[in-house]
Amino acid sequence: MLLIPCPWCGDRDETEFGYGGQAHVPYPEAPETLTDAEWAEYLFVRDNPEGPFTEQWVHTAGCRRWFTLVRDTTCNDILAVHRTGTTNPVHP
Amino acid sequence: MSHELPEHPDWLWRNPDPKPSYDVVVVGAGGHGLATAYYLAKNHGITNVAVLERGWLAGGNMARNTTIIRSNYLWDESAALYEHALKLWEVLPEELEYDFLFSQRGVLNLAHTLQDVREGVRRVHANRLGGVDAEWLSTEDVKKFCPIVNTSSDARYPVLGATLQPRAGIAKHDHVAWALARKADAYGVDLIQGCEVTGFLRDGDRVVGVETTRGRINAGKVALAAAGHTSTLAARVGLRLPIQSHPLQALVSELLEPVHPCVVMSNHVHVYVSQAHKGELVMGAGIDAYPSYTRRGSVQIIEAQMAAALELFPLFGRAHVIRTWGGVVDVSPDASPVVGLTPVENLLVNCGWGTGGFKATPAAGWVYAHTIATGQPHPLNAPFGLERFTTGALIDEHGAAAVAH
Ligand SMILES: Cc1cc2nc3c(=O)[nH]c(=O)nc-3n(C[C@H](O)[C@H](O)[C@H](O)COP(=O)(O)OP(=O)(O)OC[C@H]3O[C@@H](n4cnc5c(N)ncnc54)[C@H](O)[C@@H]3O)c2cc1C
Ligand SMILES: [Zn+2]
């Protein structure tokens, strides 16, 4: 089980969290101007790296706030944690 | 289950060094890569083929799956593809001259809610219309077919009925791989282990070969069959795929007397159970939520799956977990595979089989070989191309069918 550092509550078991997929995938500014291929990319295609991956989690059974982790998908080591909307890493 | 495990000969294939050039290079010697090589040779006469494997032959998901074989999917496109596989499974032991313990003991998909019942009955009708054997069993019939299932009305997950596919079952996965490998090798296919593909040779937009840890190899066509590692490979030619790689775990008990006559799956409580020929109970559940290449998942998944198994089979209360393990499965947005051509000339993909590609092994090989050999998808994999994510013609097996495995 992952031990996840919530930027507000500190280290908690993974079972307290919900997973939210890749971070920083903005909704297209003008969706009606996208080609089908661009729309498909937005809807269906995400990064799937072997290595650092920036992803969203929510502390469902805790403070219920969203945040961003950088996790190495080859070993699950958590490399950084950010409060959503900020770029400075937090070390709670 | 009374079956003895067949003896297999010492050497089933050569271990050749890579040649400088092949007509087709298949990347990945799991079940799908091996079946592809076999049918390239058998159906299309293409034998100047190498299957490159970074580890050892069939050490990926092929070695890690829970071996459930069935074709009772809801949508016509899926049912046709998986039924083609099931028909091939029925002839392959003889054709490959190898007893891989294919056992058509029947698969039950339990219904625990009114919605489960409606979906199950709908799927039975859809399957019958599509020529797939399917029956709806009442609670009493479930009890008769699989006496160890807890069908009492005060169970936490009452059994309101089940779908049964009598021709579905299990097989011994390692032996399947070895059987395909031996025949492919006999046709002249080079099976090359310890050979990781690290990049692609390009001529303009075309792929003309691969870079490997054992040198460059030229290829007329390069066909990926790398399961969870497909996006990593595709990224090396700038191709982004709608695939996420997740851990999927399974576990076995110690060897027990034969108690479980069939395969039982429950989507609602998310567990499935069979008993292998040797006697261990084999159980699996769903993927971990996060993507990972670690080949291990989180323990709460196993915990939940054991809790569900005990509710369904109180008898298992005294059994022990002997081993758990994980694989890296390639999950697509509509839980259906991607098999076909890519925007990169001479590069083909077979991926997205996620949690359920073992059962499809022979059909995946059949249609992929056809696509490689002819440059056109086979009618059975035409709906499963990458284009569907742009056209919107998804084959959404997620909510609609007995989808897990
Ligand atoms: C726990 C678990 C339970 C499952 N249960 C079932 C089930 O009951 N029924 C079912 O139908 N399916 C099941 N599946 C899914 C099934 O195992 C897969 O869909 C199927 O095995 C995928 O095809 P494959 O056999 O070719 O994959 P793999 O055996 O994973 O083959 C891919 C190969 O590619 C190799 N490779 C990767 N990258 C490279 C590279 N760069 N160079 C060279 N080689 C490379 C890998 O080493 C690997 O050997 C399960 C999977 C898991 C993990
Ligand atoms: Zn918190």
Side-chain angles (χ1 to χ4, degrees):
Chain A
M1 188 184 310
L2 306 182
L3 186 63
I4 297 179
C6 172
W8 288 279
C9 310
D11 287 345
R12 298 295 181 89
D13 283 350
E14 182 197 335
T15 45
E16 293 188 14
F17 296 87
Y19 186 68
Q22 184 178 347
H24 313 311
V25 183
Y27 189 76
E29 272 183 30
E32 70 283 3
T33 64
L34 297 192
T35 62
D36 287 352
E38 287 165 340
W39 187 238
E41 167 83 19
Y42 168 69
L43 282 183
F44 299 124
V45 184
R46 295 293 178 268
D47 295 345
N48 189 25
E50 281 186 74
F53 184 53
T54 308
E55 61 193 7
Q56 315 176 92
W57 289 82
V58 57
H59 194 183
T60 320
C63 64
R64 296 158 86 196
R65 283 190 273 197
W66 286 91
F67 57 95
T68 305
L69 284 188
V70 182
R71 184 176 52 89
D72 185 337
T73 62
T74 63
C75 56
N76 290 338
D77 286 355
I78 291 166
L79 308 176
V81 47
H82 305 272
R83 294 180 176 171
T84 294
T86 67
T87 47
N88 291 334
V90 179
H91 300 285
Chain B
M1 263 174 253
S2 55
H3 248 82
E4 293 222 347
L5 293 182
E7 289 292 321
H8 52 84
D10 284 350
W11 301 108
L12 294 171
W13 55 85
R14 303 160 291 129
N15 271 309
D17 289 324
K19 292 192 283 187
S21 169
Y22 293 93
D23 294 339
V24 179
V25 161
V26 177
V27 183
H32 289 210
L34 293 169
T36 302
Y38 170 68
Y39 287 118
L40 275 172
K42 176 166 186 285
N43 291 357
H44 304 280
I46 300 174
T47 56
N48 184 23
V49 174
V51 184
L52 309 182
E53 169 54 51
R54 68 175 196 166
W56 62 94
L57 189 138
N61 293 336
M62 189 62 173
R64 295 155 198 270
N65 69 74
T66 47
T67 81
I68 297 173
I69 295 172
R70 60 185 182 87
S71 63
N72 57 346
Y73 283 66
L74 177 67
W75 299 117
D76 291 349
E77 296 87 347
S78 325
L81 185 57
Y82 290 103
E83 178 60 19
H84 185 60
L86 187 45
K87 292 210 168 81
L88 292 171
W89 285 116
E90 289 172 336
V91 299
L92 274 177
E94 200 172 320
E95 184 177 310
L96 299 176
E97 301 172 282
Y98 202 122
D99 177 8
F100 50 73
L101 304 182
F102 178 45
S103 161
Q104 294 178 288
R105 55 184 65 184
V107 169
L108 290 178
N109 289 90
L110 301 181
H112 303 286
T113 65
L114 185 57
Q115 184 59 23
D116 280 355
V117 172
R118 287 179 179 148
E119 279 175 11
V121 171
R122 177 186 182 203
R123 188 160 43 75
V124 164
H125 288 311
N127 286 161
R128 286 191 174 174
L129 286 172
V132 172
D133 60 318
E135 292 170 30
W136 176 255
L137 300 192
S138 66
T139 308
E140 296 71 48
D141 291 341
V142 170
K143 189 78 189 167
K144 271 184 223 140
F145 195 79
C146 188
I148 60 171
V149 177
N150 180 11
T151 51
S152 70
S153 55
D154 61 355
R156 172 144 177 232
Y157 307 108
V159 174
L160 304 183
T163 67
L164 167 65
Q165 183 174 25
R167 286 162 60 243
I170 55 175
K172 196 153 168 50
H173 46 72
D174 296 335
H175 290 213
V176 171
W178 300 337
L180 287 165
R182 180 177 66 161
K183 284 291 176 189
D185 175 89
Y187 275 119
V189 170
D190 283 357
L191 306 175
I192 301 166
Q193 308 181 66
C195 181
E196 178 170 356
V197 172
T198 53
F200 296 87
L201 306 175
R202 307 285 291 269
D203 176 7
D205 286 343
R206 289 182 308 145
V207 162
V208 294
V210 289
E211 311 256 16
T212 80
T213 48
R214 296 180 65 179
R216 293 172 160 218
I217 303 173
N218 295 318
K221 290 191 178 164
V222 177
L224 304 184
H229 294 87
T230 310
S231 3
T232 313
L233 278 162
R236 306 229 162 99
V237 282
L239 180 63
R240 280 169 66 76
L241 296 173
I243 297 291
Q244 297 277 294
S245 299
H246 288 266
L248 178 66
Q249 308 181 72
L251 62 91
V252 288
S253 73
E254 70 270 55
L255 306 186
L256 300 167
E257 289 295 307
V259 289
H260 186 6
C262 60
V263 180
V264 173
M265 308 180 61
S266 166
N267 281 4
H268 188 84
V269 304
H270 231 119
V271 71
Y272 56 91
V273 186
S274 67
Q275 188 169 18
H277 295 83
K278 263 193 306 185
E280 64 268 48
L281 298 168
V282 183
M283 303 187 201
I287 55 171
D288 282 72
Y290 53 83
S292 178
Y293 291 87
T294 54
R295 290 185 172 172
R296 55 191 291 189
S298 294
V299 72
Q300 77 272 10
I301 304 277
I302 300 278
E303 226 176 350
Q305 137 194 6
M306 297 303 297
L310 281 185
E311 290 288 344
L312 294 178
F313 304 94
L315 178 77
F316 296 169
R318 295 294 173 89
H320 300 95
V321 174
I322 296 300
R323 206 153 43 85
T324 77
W325 65 90
V328 183
V329 298
D330 39 340
V331 178
S332 75
D334 58 356
S336 288
V338 178
V339 188
L341 307 170
T342 72
V344 181
E345 202 180 327
N346 298 338
L347 181 71
L348 296 93
V349 285
N350 168 70
C351 63
W353 291 94
T355 62
F358 172 71
K359 66 176 71 65
T361 300
W366 184 287
V367 301
Y368 201 29
H370 177 100
T371 312
I372 297 163
T374 65
Q376 293 296 327
H378 186 280
L380 286 173
N381 68 310
F384 293 94
L386 266 177
E387 324 74 62
R388 75 176 185 273
F389 298 101
T390 311
T391 62
L394 303 183
I395 303 164
D396 188 3
E397 286 289 351
H398 247 318
V403 67
H405 325 283

